[in-house]
Amino acid sequence: MDNGIKTSMGYNYYTYDDKRLINEKYWELSADKTPITVQYDYNADGLLSKMSVQKDTLYKTVQYQYLAKKVSKIHVETNATSGLSREFPILVYLGNLKKFPIKYDTEYSYDKNGNLIEWKNFLNEEPQSFYSYSLQYY
């Protein structure tokens, strides 16, 4: 099923397959002639497994891995220094990087109750940030 929605920037187009969004086309700026296209893929459990984003020669691929239906890792590859951030923002400064494409990973860990207790961000396999939670159960 195709669906077009008019916004202040023009039209956004969405394609669904059995209630799942599978393709999207939108424009970042009203004067922009080239749309951004996004293809969504799902795993056997119906969870989002991959987003492929394209605009001209710029791309961003976002892959999701799951453990017990919880996100365990998000892997991003892109050649875009800016833009294409709506699908998955990269939370590190890319301005000084000289080599593209880049790889950006976020790894998530959960406790035995399924609560998020830490996540780590990596840029080109180098650690960038680490966050942890300490939970007490009564």
Side-chain angles (χ1 to χ4, degrees):
M1 175 175 79
D2 287 338
N3 190 354
I5 297 175
K6 186 169 177 55
T7 69
S8 60
M9 304 263 213
Y11 279 95
N12 292 358
Y13 293 96
Y14 304 95
T15 304
Y16 295 87
D17 180 25
D18 194 27
K19 298 183 182 180
R20 286 191 195 144
L21 180 62
I22 57 171
N23 287 299
E24 178 181 8
K25 181 168 42 171
Y26 68 92
W27 288 259
E28 286 187 307
L29 303 170
S30 59
D32 198 353
K33 301 287 185 218
T34 305
I36 293 172
T37 59
V38 186
Q39 179 179 327
Y40 299 89
D41 296 310
Y42 300 86
N43 66 18
D45 292 324
L47 301 170
L48 183 63
S49 62
K50 183 177 177 182
M51 284 190 299
S52 302
V53 186
Q54 185 85 36
K55 181 180 180 182
D56 294 327
T57 59
L58 298 178
Y59 71 89
K60 181 185 281 185
T61 302
V62 183
Q63 295 176 305
Y64 297 86
Q65 294 177 13
Y66 298 89
L67 183 61
K69 295 191 178 184
K70 291 186 179 275
V71 175
S72 60
K73 183 176 181 179
I74 300 174
H75 175 75
V76 180
E77 291 188 34
T78 185
N79 66 349
T81 57
S82 64
L84 304 184
S85 60
R86 188 179 101 172
E87 288 69 32
F88 188 88
I90 294 178
L91 303 175
V92 295
Y93 178 65
L94 301 178
N96 294 330
L97 287 177
K98 305 284 189 243
K99 186 177 176 183
F100 282 86
I102 61 146
K103 295 178 182 178
Y104 182 77
D105 294 292
T106 303
E107 297 175 355
Y108 300 93
S109 298
Y110 302 88
D111 68 11
K112 64 182 178 182
N113 293 325
N115 295 307
L116 179 66
I117 56 171
E118 70 178 29
W119 75 89
K120 303 173 189 174
N121 295 318
F122 300 86
L123 180 62
N124 294 329
E125 300 179 1
E126 295 290 326
Q128 297 295 307
S129 56
F130 174 81
Y131 304 92
S132 68
Y133 295 105
S134 178
L135 303 175
Q136 294 181 354
Y137 296 100
Y138 300 95

